[in-house]
Amino acid sequence: MANARTTSQQGLNFMDITDHLELGTASSGQSPSKQRVHFPPQPAFNNSLAPLMKKLSKSGMRTNLEHFTSFHTRYYKSTYGADSAAWLYGRINDTIYDSGADKFGSHVMRFEHPWGQPSLIATIPGKSEKTVVIGAHQDSINLFLPSILSAPGADDDGSGTVTILEALRVLLMSEEIVKGKGENTIEFHWYSAEEGGLLGSQAIFLAYEKKSRDVKAMLQQDMTGYIQKTLDAGEQERVGVITDYVDPGLTEFIKKVIIEYCDIPYVLTRCGYACSDHASASKAGYPSAFVIESDFKYSDKKIHTSDDRLEYLSFDHMLQHARLTLGLAYELGFAEFT
């Protein structure tokens, strides 16, 4: 989660627009990205999703996160950041090939950046180029000495990274999805340099805006595993649904998806600023939303340190975020947007 300048300890919230000044102005008002999107009134694919939900694996997420956090850091300017991205690319590619989806056009690509760590984009073609995006950020940071100190980034955002990877794995168990029978194209994004000011996602959505890409929805999963402060406060674990700097219509539909497919409720909460990559999509004119592990006031305070470690996370809770991700991707993959 981008909640402080990497060059400072002053807690300054920021979105570094220096190299992306065109974001939000690069397409005309008549382009698809500038049109209001109408979301389904209710989830409609429970019968198809029920057997898929049973395939989601906590152990798979744990295995992936154990390896992902074994890199000294995933700082976007470091060789470790490039190495971790290469490993993640391999896991995504294997997931696609193991499902056989590559035979029908599914693929993963590197979106290159000048700082060395690429963003990664997995694409599952549908009947149209209307696109649903699921996102997380792959980089981590230690705010004290980013280039030197360790930053396992288990929660921020290793948890989101493996959550959406697991959702992708199970989504590709659907023959209809794999064979491109969904109404819309589905993309999974793993952004580089979120901690540098949403740099990777800004570059991607600027490119999409310039091409007039028709993105109908974007969901960001940033921090999906820490619930201890919620439990310590005597409250039930819940999915945090962010209500500021998001699209109200998409957020309303996400609430319905949580009710339909998750075993825990949601709580409405505010981040207070454009705190993750959904803000880049929103600035480009695309409907975006953001969910987090808890009420924002109970979110993980170990992030951006060497102590953001796997042992503090709940894989049961991450499973709920995977259920949400799978449910939303499938529902919107088959939605008939006008």
Side-chain angles (χ1 to χ4, degrees), residues 234-250:
E235 297 187 18
Q236 178 185 7
E237 64 176 288
R238 294 173 288 185
V239 176
V241 177
I242 299 293
T243 59
D244 55 341
Y245 299 92
V246 296
D247 181 81
L250 177 57

Side-chain angles (χ1 to χ4, degrees), residues 39 120-124 129-136 164 171 184-191 201 204-205 208 213-221 250 254 277-278 280-281 286-290 325 328-330 332-333 337:
F39 295 95
L120 305 173
I121 300 174
T123 301
I124 308 169
E129 293 185 356
K130 298 173 184 178
T131 303
V132 175
V133 174
I134 304 294
I164 72 168
L171 185 64
N184 310 301
T185 293
I186 303 171
E187 292 185 352
F188 284 73
H189 293 188
W190 290 266
Y191 304 112
S201 58
I204 288 172
F205 286 111
Y208 281 20
R213 286 287 305 273
D214 192 3
V215 176
K216 295 301 186 184
M218 185 273 180
L219 171 66
Q220 177 77 350
Q221 291 271 14
L250 177 57
I254 285 170
D277 292 301
H278 65 290
S280 300
Y286 300 126
S288 73
F290 176 28
T325 306
L328 185 74
Y330 195 99
L332 294 187
F337 294 110

Side-chain angles (χ1 to χ4, degrees), residues 146-208:
S147 298
I148 298 174
L149 296 180
S150 66
D155 195 24
D156 189 13
D157 185 26
S159 62
T161 290
V162 303
T163 292
I164 72 168
L165 178 58
E166 179 62 13
L168 172 64
R169 183 186 71 84
V170 176
L171 185 64
L172 292 177
M173 292 182 178
S174 164
E175 183 176 349
E176 289 188 324
I177 289 288
V178 166
K179 292 186 175 180
K181 295 181 179 180
E183 295 294 328
N184 310 301
T185 293
I186 303 171
E187 292 185 352
F188 284 73
H189 293 188
W190 290 266
Y191 304 112
S192 172
E194 188 266 0
E195 303 290 7
L198 318 185
L199 299 178
S201 58
Q202 285 191 80
I204 288 172
F205 286 111
L206 176 57
Y208 281 20

Side-chain angles (χ1 to χ4, degrees), residues 84-99 101-112 118-125 134 138 164-165 168 172 185-191 204 208:
S84 62
W87 176 83
L88 181 58
Y89 176 92
R91 291 295 298 121
I92 300 165
N93 198 49
D94 288 347
T95 298
I96 292 170
Y97 274 79
D98 289 348
S99 71
D102 59 297
K103 299 179 181 65
F104 299 92
S106 291
H107 61 278
V108 58
M109 61 163 282
R110 300 173 180 87
F111 190 103
E112 300 291 349
S119 295
L120 305 173
I121 300 174
T123 301
I124 308 169
I134 304 294
Q138 58 174 292
I164 72 168
L165 178 58
L168 172 64
L172 292 177
T185 293
I186 303 171
E187 292 185 352
F188 284 73
H189 293 188
W190 290 266
Y191 304 112
I204 288 172
Y208 281 20

